[in-house]
Amino acid sequence: MFDKKELFKKSELIPAIIVEKGTNEVLMLAYMNAESFDKTLETGYTWFFSRSRNKLWNKGETSGHTQKVISIKADCDFDTLLIEVEQNGVACHTGNKTCFFNSYELG
């Protein structure tokens, strides 16, 4: 178990990679600050910081597509989070299951 004081030392915003329980499929990437991290721990559901709106947001607050937190891991530098969730509905605001549906052709 890591000490949450290790987070946010380099930056007040850190990326949070959200993966689906069971499949480990990457659903989305969002940013957290200390307040959204604390609200996530407090509620058991994901909270993020919107860089464009400059405010906290709870995933699924308006859509109902909530993310129940199963586990939280920090990387070796404590500047990125990997959050495993039980996804209710789709993760992407476009209606796709995951935000990573755009492919780039190599070669």
Side-chain angles (χ1 to χ4, degrees):
M1 181 178 230
F2 65 88
D3 185 344
K4 72 178 188 174
K5 293 177 190 171
E6 294 296 321
L7 303 172
F8 311 106
K9 285 185 175 181
K10 295 178 187 175
S11 175
E12 62 183 47
L13 287 179
I14 61 173
I17 302 163
I18 311 303
V19 298
E20 185 173 39
K21 177 187 173 188
T23 67
N24 286 330
E25 181 174 17
V26 176
L27 298 175
M28 59 182 280
L29 178 136
Y31 290 87
M32 287 186 148
N33 63 8
E35 186 180 3
S36 65
F37 183 78
D38 288 343
K39 285 188 80 68
T40 296
L41 295 179
E42 176 186 312
T43 65
Y45 288 86
T46 54
W47 283 79
F48 303 108
F49 183 82
S50 170
R51 297 176 299 162
S52 60
R53 293 175 289 168
N54 200 36
K55 69 176 196 170
L56 293 183
W57 61 282
N58 174 229
K59 178 65 179 157
E61 185 174 30
T62 56
S63 68
H65 299 159
T66 57
Q67 296 175 334
K68 182 179 180 187
V69 176
I70 303 304
S71 69
I72 300 174
K73 296 178 182 175
D75 73 338
C76 56
D77 295 322
F78 294 98
D79 61 4
T80 303
L81 294 171
L82 181 65
I83 303 177
E84 181 185 29
V85 302
E86 283 182 359
Q87 178 68 45
N88 175 32
V90 299
C92 187
H93 72 281
T94 64
N96 286 287
K97 177 182 179 184
T98 171
C99 293
F100 294 95
F101 58 88
N102 295 300
S103 297
Y104 186 83
E105 288 291 323
L106 297 175

